[in-house]
Amino acid sequence: MRAKISRRTLLKGLVAAMASTISMAPSRKSSAHDFQGYETNRGVLVDVSRCVGCRSCEVACSREHGLAPPPGLVDNYRLLDQQQQGMRRTDQNAFTVVNRHESPLLTHPLFKKTQCNHCLEPACLTACFVNAYTKTPEGAVIYDADVCVGCRTCMVACPFSIPAFKYDSAFAPQIMKCNFCFDTRLSRGRPPACVEACPMEALTFGYRNDLLRVARKRIRDTPGRYEKAVYGEFEAGGTSWLYISPVPFEQAGFDIHVPRQPILNYVKDFLAVVPMVLTIWPGLFAGIYLLARANKTHKNTNDHEDVSDETSER
Amino acid sequence: MKPVSANITDAVGQATIVSGSHRGLLDKIFLGLSIRNYLGQLLTNPVNWILGLILAIGIPLLCQRYLFGLQAITHGSQDYPWGILLGFGLFGMVPLSASGFLLSTTVEIFRRDDFLPIERLALLNGLLGYFFAVVFLLVDLGMPWRLTYPMVVSFGPAAVLFLVAWHVATYLSVQIAEMLPAVSEWADWPGLKRFIKKITLGLTIAGIILSTLHQGALGALFCYAPAKIHPLWIAPEFQWLHFFVSSIFAGLCMVIVVSWLVKHTMTWRCDRRYLSTLDGITLGLAKGAALAMITYLVIKLVAVAHDQEWLLLISGWGLYYLLELGLGTVVPLVIFAYGVRHSRVTMVRWGALLAVAGIVWNRLNTVLICYNYRLHQEIPYWKELWVVLTVLGFYFIVYRFILYRIPVLFRWRQ
């Protein structure tokens, strides 16, 4: 016969099973499910209608962060022309890029600057299993390369596809992304390098709440000049960088598929399942076990068949 | 293959199986052959030549990866952070390794002793699948030496991947414990087996919990990209359920396939109990898999209905989606239904193979093909594919090494 399992051993096993799983299962209730962003959250308002595509911001950024100088600066417009095949994106050598977009509503091209939008509830941060990302009260989403494992889930999670990975480094690879010039500027209340470099005042630095008012005022004061929406007010739960555009956002190179709620909301359904499984499964399966065992013992005593030969092998 | 197994059968058939405990470790490792004979039979086996070829190219590629970074063997795509290494190695291997918890539940919890002859094979398949999923992870992680950071150094407990990491690590230890009785028989440590026996129920229930959660969590990982993946392949409310339920038939079908392969290529190592019960067990497993498949199809349907995606079904992507579900799930389901009813074991086995391929296809669709579907497609660099093949080569070698020795396909006689 199979070793008799007394109530005590059964309980012991159960406690062991539950302890081992519960101790592994982190508490996953988010306390911040109504997070509206920090009052002190700074941001930048990008007026797409003002940008002329000079890419001074790219140069300033690469200098600020010691990155390789942006390609094709001499023949600036040729590079922007080439982009017709595919847009440039942020990568390990560029924290910000400017792309050219044509809109059927305009006779001239539009230029859109791309960089980390510094979400109020960043997807990269919520997806990171080693807590490498921090949302500072100033609004920057900064990254700590010292704890990063290189799993690249943040790149999957970012709805704007901003974080890039230094694939060519074997010993010190890391995520490369705009940090709002946090260390050098933002933490001292100064605007990031790109904003300072812009000759067209296409970029306005300030408190996010103020910028939203500025954006709405511009839209209201010059009727017909802007789309009546601020990109970033609600996208991915709200971003620090905000945009106003003279044409529908998809024509200016914005991803309009970005959900309007924080990415974390999509994961909460699963996170709610975790405690349920942890509490219901042990009892359920222990119960099934007891039923199955009772059934088997009953059968064995009834038909006197030697099933025990098989079982004793275990 | 014939002469090899014949060789070993001669040597092992008498020595290994009959007298168990008094043989030296070397005998156990070299299957009772002299080292010279053992190496000789390795060389005459054509399978080893193929493995040798794979590794001869693959090991330098691995060195390249660790010396010059991932860029050396992958496209290093910023748009596709997870390539085929994870798409196949982690997301494909893990559902196929659900076999361990499924069969231990069947035997230890549901007390279905008729599945006992295959339990250890399922456990081993689970253990090795997980282990090599971690190996794939070690190749793909940017900083593999920091694998333990989420457990020791820095915690991000609100992240789905945190749960995956902890659960896979814990479950790996549970699976090692579950395999210990077989090892203890082989190594002749009866005390160990007695101890594990006492905690079997706890281990099994822990296995169910951990498997439910991390199989589901692998799906929930994609809820972080609700707008990047084609809507047919992502349903945030149901994603974890899709991944969990599909892992049930994936694991069962994998056992059908592996047990079938083993039956033909390692007949000498299987005992009479295994060989005589396998056909019946295969049909039983197929029956279970068919039930899981129906469940899976229903919740897939629920997801389409919930997200109002009916019109998408007649688009190009929709047809591709139907093709995946049709070939990967519906056809095997029909095969199982027919095969089980008419006891057509071989047919069922081919169906299982199809289902295994279907699950891997589904995971690759989610990770690679339908991910960033509005952007360009990522076609893996040949070196990345070769590294996948290389790790699979190691997987095969370890799998075979263990099956030859540890009592998985046969019972140890004292």
Side-chain angles (χ1 to χ4, degrees), chain B residues 128-147:
Chain B
L128 291 180
Y130 276 89
F131 182 80
F132 278 89
V134 175
V135 173
F136 274 112
L137 198 61
L138 285 173
V139 177
D140 189 77
L141 275 184
M143 286 145 273
W145 56 92
R146 291 184 180 171
L147 185 69

mmCIF file of all heavy atoms in Angstrom, chain B residues 128-147:
data_model
loop_
_atom_site.group_PDB
_atom_site.id
_atom_site.type_symbol
_atom_site.label_atom_id
_atom_site.label_comp_id
_atom_site.label_asym_id
_atom_site.label_seq_id
_atom_site.Cartn_x
_atom_site.Cartn_y
_atom_site.Cartn_z
ATOM 1 N N LEU B 128 13.327 19.558 -17.508
ATOM 2 C CA LEU B 128 14.308 19.951 -18.518
ATOM 3 C C LEU B 128 13.805 21.112 -19.358
ATOM 4 O O LEU B 128 14.564 22.001 -19.728
ATOM 5 C CB LEU B 128 14.648 18.759 -19.412
ATOM 6 C CG LEU B 128 15.436 17.669 -18.700
ATOM 7 C CD1 LEU B 128 15.723 16.524 -19.651
ATOM 8 C CD2 LEU B 128 16.737 18.233 -18.156
ATOM 9 N N GLY B 129 12.501 21.118 -19.632
ATOM 10 C CA GLY B 129 11.940 22.224 -20.400
ATOM 11 C C GLY B 129 12.159 23.548 -19.690
ATOM 12 O O GLY B 129 12.601 24.524 -20.285
ATOM 13 N N TYR B 130 11.871 23.559 -18.403
ATOM 14 C CA TYR B 130 12.070 24.782 -17.629
ATOM 15 C C TYR B 130 13.534 25.140 -17.549
ATOM 16 O O TYR B 130 13.932 26.283 -17.696
ATOM 17 C CB TYR B 130 11.503 24.634 -16.220
ATOM 18 C CG TYR B 130 10.035 24.924 -16.166
ATOM 19 C CD1 TYR B 130 9.098 23.930 -16.380
ATOM 20 C CD2 TYR B 130 9.580 26.207 -15.938
ATOM 21 C CE1 TYR B 130 7.752 24.194 -16.355
ATOM 22 C CE2 TYR B 130 8.235 26.492 -15.912
ATOM 23 C CZ TYR B 130 7.322 25.475 -16.117
ATOM 24 O OH TYR B 130 5.991 25.761 -16.104
ATOM 25 N N PHE B 131 14.343 24.131 -17.296
ATOM 26 C CA PHE B 131 15.764 24.399 -17.144
ATOM 27 C C PHE B 131 16.314 25.042 -18.414
ATOM 28 O O PHE B 131 17.048 26.020 -18.373
ATOM 29 C CB PHE B 131 16.508 23.097 -16.819
ATOM 30 C CG PHE B 131 17.974 23.314 -16.603
ATOM 31 C CD1 PHE B 131 18.424 23.795 -15.386
ATOM 32 C CD2 PHE B 131 18.888 23.071 -17.610
ATOM 33 C CE1 PHE B 131 19.771 24.030 -15.184
ATOM 34 C CE2 PHE B 131 20.237 23.298 -17.420
ATOM 35 C CZ PHE B 131 20.686 23.774 -16.191
ATOM 36 N N PHE B 132 15.912 24.489 -19.557
ATOM 37 C CA PHE B 132 16.468 25.033 -20.794
ATOM 38 C C PHE B 132 15.794 26.339 -21.197
ATOM 39 O O PHE B 132 16.398 27.143 -21.907
ATOM 40 C CB PHE B 132 16.461 23.990 -21.900
ATOM 41 C CG PHE B 132 17.655 23.086 -21.778
ATOM 42 C CD1 PHE B 132 17.603 21.942 -21.018
ATOM 43 C CD2 PHE B 132 18.857 23.442 -22.354
ATOM 44 C CE1 PHE B 132 18.716 21.138 -20.848
ATOM 45 C CE2 PHE B 132 19.976 22.660 -22.189
ATOM 46 C CZ PHE B 132 19.907 21.499 -21.437
ATOM 47 N N ALA B 133 14.583 26.573 -20.709
ATOM 48 C CA ALA B 133 14.001 27.905 -20.910
ATOM 49 C C ALA B 133 14.877 28.933 -20.196
ATOM 50 O O ALA B 133 15.134 30.021 -20.716
ATOM 51 C CB ALA B 133 12.575 27.956 -20.378
ATOM 52 N N VAL B 134 15.369 28.555 -19.010
ATOM 53 C CA VAL B 134 16.265 29.452 -18.290
ATOM 54 C C VAL B 134 17.583 29.601 -19.044
ATOM 55 O O VAL B 134 18.157 30.692 -19.102
ATOM 56 C CB VAL B 134 16.494 28.953 -16.846
ATOM 57 C CG1 VAL B 134 17.512 29.816 -16.131
ATOM 58 C CG2 VAL B 134 15.189 28.953 -16.080
ATOM 59 N N VAL B 135 18.052 28.508 -19.650
ATOM 60 C CA VAL B 135 19.278 28.606 -20.445
ATOM 61 C C VAL B 135 19.072 29.594 -21.604
ATOM 62 O O VAL B 135 19.915 30.454 -21.864
ATOM 63 C CB VAL B 135 19.706 27.222 -20.973
ATOM 64 C CG1 VAL B 135 20.873 27.358 -21.948
ATOM 65 C CG2 VAL B 135 20.089 26.315 -19.811
ATOM 66 N N PHE B 136 17.939 29.481 -22.285
ATOM 67 C CA PHE B 136 17.632 30.431 -23.359
ATOM 68 C C PHE B 136 17.637 31.861 -22.813
ATOM 69 O O PHE B 136 18.138 32.787 -23.449
ATOM 70 C CB PHE B 136 16.261 30.130 -23.972
ATOM 71 C CG PHE B 136 16.302 29.098 -25.065
ATOM 72 C CD1 PHE B 136 15.731 27.852 -24.896
ATOM 73 C CD2 PHE B 136 16.900 29.391 -26.280
ATOM 74 C CE1 PHE B 136 15.761 26.893 -25.895
ATOM 75 C CE2 PHE B 136 16.932 28.453 -27.295
ATOM 76 C CZ PHE B 136 16.364 27.201 -27.102
ATOM 77 N N LEU B 137 17.089 31.996 -21.624
ATOM 78 C CA LEU B 137 17.041 33.311 -20.992
ATOM 79 C C LEU B 137 18.458 33.823 -20.731
ATOM 80 O O LEU B 137 18.761 35.000 -20.932
ATOM 81 C CB LEU B 137 16.273 33.180 -19.675
ATOM 82 C CG LEU B 137 15.727 34.453 -19.057
ATOM 83 C CD1 LEU B 137 14.737 35.105 -19.995
ATOM 84 C CD2 LEU B 137 15.053 34.139 -17.740
ATOM 85 N N LEU B 138 19.328 32.917 -20.314
ATOM 86 C CA LEU B 138 20.703 33.318 -20.025
ATOM 87 C C LEU B 138 21.431 33.767 -21.282
ATOM 88 O O LEU B 138 22.351 34.569 -21.226
ATOM 89 C CB LEU B 138 21.465 32.157 -19.371
ATOM 90 C CG LEU B 138 21.110 31.905 -17.915
ATOM 91 C CD1 LEU B 138 21.790 30.650 -17.412
ATOM 92 C CD2 LEU B 138 21.497 33.088 -17.058
ATOM 93 N N VAL B 139 21.016 33.214 -22.420
ATOM 94 C CA VAL B 139 21.624 33.657 -23.670
ATOM 95 C C VAL B 139 21.080 35.031 -24.033
ATOM 96 O O VAL B 139 21.796 35.910 -24.495
ATOM 97 C CB VAL B 139 21.342 32.652 -24.803
ATOM 98 C CG1 VAL B 139 21.925 33.158 -26.121
ATOM 99 C CG2 VAL B 139 21.922 31.298 -24.461
ATOM 100 N N ASP B 140 19.791 35.233 -23.800
ATOM 101 C CA ASP B 140 19.129 36.430 -24.309
ATOM 102 C C ASP B 140 19.222 37.633 -23.376
ATOM 103 O O ASP B 140 19.186 38.770 -23.826
ATOM 104 C CB ASP B 140 17.655 36.120 -24.599
ATOM 105 C CG ASP B 140 16.990 37.262 -25.332
ATOM 106 O OD1 ASP B 140 17.234 37.369 -26.549
ATOM 107 O OD2 ASP B 140 16.272 38.045 -24.707
ATOM 108 N N LEU B 141 19.308 37.396 -22.072
ATOM 109 C CA LEU B 141 19.371 38.523 -21.136
ATOM 110 C C LEU B 141 20.590 39.376 -21.445
ATOM 111 O O LEU B 141 21.662 38.852 -21.743
ATOM 112 C CB LEU B 141 19.478 38.026 -19.695
ATOM 113 C CG LEU B 141 18.197 37.666 -18.960
ATOM 114 C CD1 LEU B 141 18.535 37.289 -17.526
ATOM 115 C CD2 LEU B 141 17.202 38.810 -18.978
ATOM 116 N N GLY B 142 20.412 40.692 -21.324
ATOM 117 C CA GLY B 142 21.547 41.569 -21.569
ATOM 118 C C GLY B 142 22.669 41.303 -20.585
ATOM 119 O O GLY B 142 23.844 41.282 -20.933
ATOM 120 N N MET B 143 22.296 41.109 -19.320
ATOM 121 C CA MET B 143 23.290 40.887 -18.280
ATOM 122 C C MET B 143 22.972 39.594 -17.546
ATOM 123 O O MET B 143 22.427 39.611 -16.433
ATOM 124 C CB MET B 143 23.298 42.068 -17.317
ATOM 125 C CG MET B 143 23.935 43.284 -17.917
ATOM 126 S SD MET B 143 23.169 44.827 -17.391
ATOM 127 C CE MET B 143 21.851 44.998 -18.583
ATOM 128 N N PRO B 144 23.304 38.456 -18.164
ATOM 129 C CA PRO B 144 22.887 37.170 -17.596
ATOM 130 C C PRO B 144 23.437 36.936 -16.192
ATOM 131 O O PRO B 144 22.824 36.220 -15.405
ATOM 132 C CB PRO B 144 23.441 36.145 -18.586
ATOM 133 C CG PRO B 144 24.431 36.865 -19.417
ATOM 134 C CD PRO B 144 24.031 38.292 -19.425
ATOM 135 N N TRP B 145 24.574 37.571 -15.893
ATOM 136 C CA TRP B 145 25.149 37.357 -14.561
ATOM 137 C C TRP B 145 24.301 38.015 -13.474
ATOM 138 O O TRP B 145 24.539 37.837 -12.303
ATOM 139 C CB TRP B 145 26.591 37.885 -14.515
ATOM 140 C CG TRP B 145 26.715 39.326 -14.898
ATOM 141 C CD1 TRP B 145 26.678 40.385 -14.050
ATOM 142 C CD2 TRP B 145 26.874 39.865 -16.210
ATOM 143 N NE1 TRP B 145 26.797 41.561 -14.761
ATOM 144 C CE2 TRP B 145 26.936 41.279 -16.080
ATOM 145 C CE3 TRP B 145 26.985 39.315 -17.491
ATOM 146 C CZ2 TRP B 145 27.089 42.132 -17.178
ATOM 147 C CZ3 TRP B 145 27.142 40.166 -18.584
ATOM 148 C CH2 TRP B 145 27.191 41.554 -18.431
ATOM 149 N N ARG B 146 23.288 38.777 -13.886
ATOM 150 C CA ARG B 146 22.411 39.384 -12.888
ATOM 151 C C ARG B 146 21.081 38.643 -12.784
ATOM 152 O O ARG B 146 20.095 39.209 -12.313
ATOM 153 C CB ARG B 146 22.140 40.843 -13.259
ATOM 154 C CG ARG B 146 23.367 41.728 -13.129
ATOM 155 C CD ARG B 146 22.992 43.166 -13.416
ATOM 156 N NE ARG B 146 24.147 44.037 -13.311
ATOM 157 C CZ ARG B 146 24.135 45.314 -13.686
ATOM 158 N NH1 ARG B 146 23.034 45.839 -14.183
ATOM 159 N NH2 ARG B 146 25.208 46.053 -13.565
ATOM 160 N N LEU B 147 21.076 37.390 -13.216
ATOM 161 C CA LEU B 147 19.833 36.612 -13.229
ATOM 162 C C LEU B 147 19.112 36.629 -11.883
ATOM 163 O O LEU B 147 17.898 36.640 -11.806
ATOM 164 C CB LEU B 147 20.127 35.171 -13.646
ATOM 165 C CG LEU B 147 18.919 34.260 -13.821
ATOM 166 C CD1 LEU B 147 18.116 34.678 -15.036
ATOM 167 C CD2 LEU B 147 19.334 32.809 -13.959
#
